[in-house]
Amino acid sequence: MLVFDADDTLWENNVVFERVIDDFLEWLDHPTLDRVQLRAVLDDIERANTVTHGYGSKVFLRSLRDCLERLRRRPATEAERREIDELAVALVTHQVELMPGVADALDELATRHELLLLTKGERAEQQRKLDACGLLHHFSAAHIVAEKNVETYRWLAKEHGFEPAGAWMIGNSPRSDILPARTAGWNAVFIPNANTWVLEHDELDLADAGLLRLAAFPDLLLHF
């Protein structure tokens, strides 16, 4: 059983958010804090907001507004809210861009294994990307969840009736894809993405026998 992450594994996603953050930090033009310090403030706000409000572009916009208000120590004006919304237009207009080799690799993998898709985030936003990606026919099921934690992986194994030891979670996020899957008894394939969201970073034990690290998505064909 091969289970795939979606954002930043099958297609690029976080790079769009990073571009918006770059524009936002430049627009802030803070008089005393540099970009590293500003990004640290934003990361703290995003970390808190994801716990309370979840994921997706709406929560991200909320974090940008909260960041502005914390730094300027006052509520955002209507004009500032509009400017932030304009900065983030790319989030809703961005087209799904598959990672290199994904379509061809899935074509072949689907002839050898059962494939599932597991993604987290705001349901309507994630469904829009799933509908646009042109890949759903490869998967026997696609699940959108609020969080990808140990309980999620245990639930998915029970839902589809497979043994965790025979399952592989394939993704780019140590925090959401690799570590909770391994704790749930799955194997995992880590495919790094240079644009992975900073809040998804974590330390991995690369000596772990149940963890396979690959340089690119098509390399899956060498192992499965």
Side-chain angles (χ1 to χ4, degrees), residues 2-223:
L2 303 184
V3 183
F4 291 83
D5 170 50
D7 291 339
D8 296 314
T9 297
L10 300 182
W11 53 73
E12 292 283 10
N13 180 68
N14 196 58
V15 65
V16 183
F17 288 81
E18 291 295 331
R19 291 168 187 158
V20 174
I21 290 172
D22 284 343
D23 292 342
F24 173 73
L25 297 182
E26 183 175 350
W27 171 73
L28 274 177
D29 191 26
H30 197 275
T32 59
L33 300 182
D34 62 25
R35 291 175 73 89
V36 173
Q37 293 168 313
L38 291 172
R39 182 60 188 264
V41 173
L42 178 59
D43 288 346
D44 285 343
I45 290 170
E46 285 199 277
R47 188 175 291 108
N49 278 343
T50 57
V51 172
T52 305
H53 304 290
Y55 301 91
S57 58
K58 291 180 181 178
V59 178
F60 175 69
L61 284 174
R62 181 191 186 106
S63 295
L64 295 184
R65 296 183 190 118
D66 289 351
C67 184
L68 179 142
E69 292 179 351
R70 180 182 296 184
L71 291 168
R72 296 188 176 173
R73 300 181 181 180
R74 60 166 175 78
T77 66
E78 282 302 314
E80 288 169 336
R81 287 174 174 267
R82 285 196 299 271
E83 288 192 60
I84 290 173
D85 289 344
E86 289 172 5
L87 285 173
V89 165
L91 297 178
V92 295
T93 61
H94 174 66
Q95 301 298 310
V96 172
E97 179 183 343
L98 298 183
M99 302 290 287
V102 161
D104 289 342
L106 288 178
D107 281 343
E108 190 163 342
L109 289 170
T111 68
R112 308 177 188 173
H113 306 279
E114 183 178 358
L115 311 183
L116 296 175
L117 191 149
L118 179 65
T119 183
K120 72 176 182 181
E122 196 278 321
R123 179 165 295 275
E125 188 170 346
Q126 292 304 101
Q127 189 63 55
R128 178 189 65 80
K129 288 183 279 189
L130 295 181
D131 291 341
C133 72
L135 300 174
L136 284 183
H137 62 285
H138 293 304
F139 301 97
S140 58
H143 295 280
I144 301 170
V145 295
E147 188 60 87
K148 289 158 76 174
N149 51 29
V150 176
E151 290 73 22
T152 302
Y153 289 96
R154 289 174 176 159
W155 165 81
L156 192 66
K158 184 176 180 180
E159 178 75 8
H160 288 275
F162 59 82
E163 290 297 322
W168 291 81
M169 181 62 199
I170 299 159
N172 69 292
S173 167
R175 191 179 74 85
S176 293
D177 300 326
I178 309 304
L179 294 176
R182 292 294 295 129
T183 300
W186 295 35
N187 303 289
V189 180
F190 177 46
I191 306 177
N193 184 317
N195 296 306
T196 295
W197 188 23
V198 64
L199 299 190
E200 294 291 345
H201 292 186
D202 211 329
E203 293 296 320
L204 295 178
D205 178 7
L206 297 182
D208 177 3
L211 174 61
L212 178 63
R213 179 184 174 122
L214 300 180
F217 196 94
D219 293 344
L220 289 165
L221 297 175
L222 302 175
H223 299 272

